[in-house]
Amino acid sequence: MGIIRFFDILFALLGLLILSPVLVFIIIAIRLTSKGNVFFPQIRVGQYGKDFKVLKFRTMYVNAERKGFLTVGGKDNRITRVGYYLRRYKLDELPQLINVLKGEMSIVGPRPEVRKYVDLYTDEQKKVLDVLPGITDYASITFRNENELLASVENAEEYYIKEIIPQKNSLNFKYINNQSVVEYFSIIKKTLVTAIKGS
């Protein structure tokens, strides 16, 4: 077992244990405010191009994903009241600690993308699939307010494909090409700071 995998397992176990009261509160809040399952498993592309189900707390109304994968603006009407705050503070991502324990994800690594957009990757961009996807990375931090950015353009999906994906992959390689325990902890620290600020 590598040192980073060791920290992945350790942090995932500690996170689930320490945050268990928060997780229970979120589950109750989702149950009381909207119909549907608490969790929203979505097929994403993982390491070596293998599909897996990434776990999230449901932040949208049931079947909202049929209107598209991208969420636009902080007040997308598909997002529930509780979902808005879960997304703002990235709390909807907490169930992915289970994906980490299963070995499908790392705490730090490129965010897993849906197949629709991975199929558009260039051969160079597909190299991000050589590593485990992660809960957070430089791209997650940089594009924290991605929804608001997409809301400011005329064609959100076109902008996402032509502008955001290339920039995200460039940031992904910043970590992939310099993987180390120091980088790992640096990204975790920056993620926690931005999550606490909520912006």
Side-chain angles (χ1 to χ4, degrees), residues 88-104:
R88 180 177 180 183
Y89 294 99
K90 299 299 181 182
L91 296 175
D92 60 316
E93 312 283 359
L94 290 179
Q96 287 162 43
L97 293 173
I98 297 173
N99 289 118
V100 173
L101 290 178
K102 291 171 67 177
E104 297 168 330

Side-chain angles (χ1 to χ4, degrees), residues 116-153:
K116 175 181 179 179
Y117 299 124
V118 171
D119 286 343
L120 300 176
Y121 283 4
T122 64
D123 288 341
E124 182 65 23
Q125 290 172 337
K126 288 179 181 177
K127 291 179 180 178
V128 300
L129 303 177
D130 291 342
V131 301
L132 278 175
I135 294 177
T136 186
D137 63 346
Y138 285 120
S140 300
I141 298 169
T142 301
F143 287 96
R144 179 173 182 77
N145 296 318
E146 180 182 297
N147 294 348
E148 286 73 18
L149 178 60
L150 292 174
S152 67
V153 298

Side-chain angles (χ1 to χ4, degrees), residues 23-105:
L23 298 176
V24 171
F25 176 81
I26 292 173
I27 289 171
I28 294 173
I30 294 173
R31 284 284 190 193
L32 293 177
T33 57
S34 63
K35 296 180 179 180
N37 294 326
V38 169
F39 298 103
F40 176 65
Q42 186 181 45
I43 300 297
R44 297 289 181 101
V45 182
Q47 189 176 27
Y48 307 131
K50 182 179 178 180
D51 288 347
F52 74 104
K53 290 183 178 180
V54 65
L55 297 176
K56 289 187 175 187
F57 281 124
R58 181 176 56 80
T59 59
M60 291 187 174
Y61 294 104
V62 176
N63 296 325
E65 71 279 2
R66 293 179 181 177
K67 297 180 180 179
F69 293 113
L70 300 178
T71 51
V72 180
K75 296 296 183 180
D76 190 312
N77 59 17
R78 295 174 297 165
I79 300 175
T80 65
R81 286 179 297 168
V82 171
Y84 170 78
Y85 292 100
L86 293 180
R87 283 169 171 260
R88 180 177 180 183
Y89 294 99
K90 299 299 181 182
L91 296 175
D92 60 316
E93 312 283 359
L94 290 179
Q96 287 162 43
L97 293 173
I98 297 173
N99 289 118
V100 173
L101 290 178
K102 291 171 67 177
E104 297 168 330
M105 294 180 69

